[in-house]
């Protein structure tokens, strides 16, 4: 996806960094590099190769497992609050703690995967996350549950930190989009099915059994991943250079364009985290009075988000990047306002619009980050994921505080405030682009 044009000026070229080789020498070096790259790509996996289908299925299983675990308590918050005598703003930390753990760990784990290997990082991360999942249902108190969930989020971070790079290493460039798409589908299906499974199991046997069901499902997925994943054939270890990584991170954080993309991702995820952390509390209460199983089933709306993300590319081509962002902001904001009505039809319609708007905005912002970063793309993407999951943590925690203080209307007001900020950032970018175009 093209970079999001937020009006940042082009950095000047540093003359001292330009090589002094002759044009002939430079072209020769470039030709050699191109030939080497083509030869390397030709040996990677493609459809028909024995390992290609296994690779795709293995990464699908990894995505399903880890994202089912990451948000496993979200649909169960009303039950957890009741069982552990916790207010919504306290129980919400079982979700926010996990996303904070992921946000903190994703950048260092991405660096470690460069040294020790993507396949190894994926295997270890899944093993630790599943081991914690098998212990979590027996947590004796809310503080212990939050602590275990935070550790689990940090373990899960190894999957998004390594998966895309692993696919890029091992799958031919022309087939990479399809492989990445199946991994992202695993994320979406895992996030949705984990919430639905926990909801119905909890209704029958309690919240601990619900978390246990997700743990067993994730264990099976982890075993499938390990049995299916082919050996890494194209990974080359890179020595760890903390100073170099720190310098790259500082450069990204000093780039106004990337900062705006990070902020937009954070704000969209703040809305999403607030809405889906609190919605269960609203729907189990009057006038709705839904069962825990039905509340978990609400998360089937995630399928709308998957379709919204897939449509974002076409919208981007028709409306432009900022136009797509405005549409995402407007769609999510309209959904928030519609959801205020005390009607299950209005609430579901509102959630559909919020989800579609969120995924459209997230797809534009995240896709633009990887295209914008001219160097240190892994660190740039990791910083976006950090911002994204910090937004999830903020949304979950602040949304629950707002709900406790003023009900659903207060949560909606918080989310609308985040959308206003996102619109302000996009409007600033639009005006800056116009000024630069006239200059």
């Amino acid at each position: 996806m093209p970079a999001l044009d937020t009006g940042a000026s082009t950095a000047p070229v540093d003359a001292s960094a330009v090589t002094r080789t002759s044009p002939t020498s430079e072209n020769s070096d470039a030709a050699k590099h191109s030939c080497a790259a083509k030869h390397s790509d030709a040996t990677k996996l493609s459809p028909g190769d024995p390992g290609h289908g296994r690779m795709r299925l293995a990464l699908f299983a990894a995505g399903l497992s880890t994202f089912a675990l990451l948000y496993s308590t979200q649909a169960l918050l009303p039950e957890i609050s009741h069982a552990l005598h916790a207010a919504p703003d306290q129980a919400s930390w079982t979700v926010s703690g996990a996303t904070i753990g992921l946000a903190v760990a994703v950048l260092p784990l991405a660096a470690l995967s460069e040294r020790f290997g993507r396949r190894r990082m994926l295997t270890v991360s899944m093993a630790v996350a599943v081991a914690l999942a098998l212990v979590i249902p027996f947590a004796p108190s809310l503080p212990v549950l939050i602590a275990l969930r935070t550790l689990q989020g940090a373990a899960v971070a190894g999957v998004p930190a390594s998966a895309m790079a692993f696919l890029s290493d091992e799958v031919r460039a022309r087939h990479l989009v399809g492989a990445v798409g199946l991994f992202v589908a695993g994320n979406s299906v895992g996030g949705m099915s984990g919430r639905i499974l926990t909801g119905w199991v909890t209704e029958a046997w309690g919240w601990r059994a619900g978390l246990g069901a997700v743990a067993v499902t994730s264990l099976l997925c982890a075993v499938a991943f390990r049995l299916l994943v082919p050996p890494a054939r194209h990974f080359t270890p890179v020595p760890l250079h903390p100073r170099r990584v720190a310098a790259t991170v500082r450069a990204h954080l000093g780039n106004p364009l990337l900062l705006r993309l990070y902020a937009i991702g954070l704000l969209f995820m703040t809305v999403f985290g607030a809405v889906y952390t609190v919605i269960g509390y609203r729907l189990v209460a009057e006038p709705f009075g839904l069962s825990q199983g039905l509340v978990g089933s609400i998360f089937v709306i995630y399928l709308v988000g998957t379709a919204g993300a897939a449509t974002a590319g076409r919208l981007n081509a028709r409306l432009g990047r900022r136009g797509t962002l405005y549409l995402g902001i407007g769609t999510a904001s309209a959904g928030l306002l519609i959801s205020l009505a005390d009607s299950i039809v209005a609430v579901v319609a509102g959630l559909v619009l919020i989800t579609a708007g969120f995924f459209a905005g997230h797809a534009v912002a995240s896709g633009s980050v990887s295209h914008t970063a001219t160097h240190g793309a892994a660190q740039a993407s990791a910083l976006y994921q950090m911002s994204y999951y910090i937004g999830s943590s903020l949304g979950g925690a602040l949304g629950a505080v707002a709900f406790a203080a003023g009900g659903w209307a207060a949560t909606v007001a918080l989310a609308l405030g985040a959308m206003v900020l996102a619109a302000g950032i996009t409007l600033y970018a639009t005006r800056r682009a116009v000024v630069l175009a006239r200059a």
Side-chain angles (χ1 to χ4, degrees), residues 236-312:
T236 302
V238 177
L240 290 175
H241 295 290
R243 291 184 180 179
R244 188 178 300 172
V245 172
T248 302
V249 169
R250 284 196 300 270
H252 290 329
L253 294 177
N255 185 328
L257 170 57
L258 287 174
L259 282 179
R260 284 193 281 273
L261 292 171
Y262 297 153
I264 287 171
L266 184 151
L267 291 167
F268 266 106
M269 193 56 174
T270 297
V271 173
F272 202 65
V275 166
Y276 277 101
T277 295
V278 170
I279 191 63
Y281 288 104
R282 187 182 186 207
L283 293 179
V284 298
E286 296 299 331
F288 305 104
L290 298 187
S291 69
Q292 187 63 57
L294 288 174
V295 169
S297 297
I298 287 290
F299 289 93
V300 75
I301 292 172
Y302 262 45
L303 293 176
V304 174
T306 304
T311 306

Side-chain angles (χ1 to χ4, degrees), residues 347-364:
V347 170
V348 170
L351 290 175
V352 167
L353 292 175
I354 293 165
T355 304
F358 160 74
F359 273 99
H362 167 51
V364 172

Side-chain angles (χ1 to χ4, degrees), residues 46-90:
S46 60
D49 293 339
H52 183 262
R54 291 173 54 200
M55 172 71 81
R56 286 165 56 92
L57 289 174
L59 268 294
F60 177 82
L64 193 155
S65 170
T66 54
F67 282 85
L69 292 175
L70 185 62
Y71 291 102
S72 59
T73 62
Q74 194 170 54
L76 310 183
L77 292 177
E79 285 291 322
I80 292 173
S81 287
H82 177 74
L84 300 181
H85 309 290
D89 56 323
Q90 297 171 321

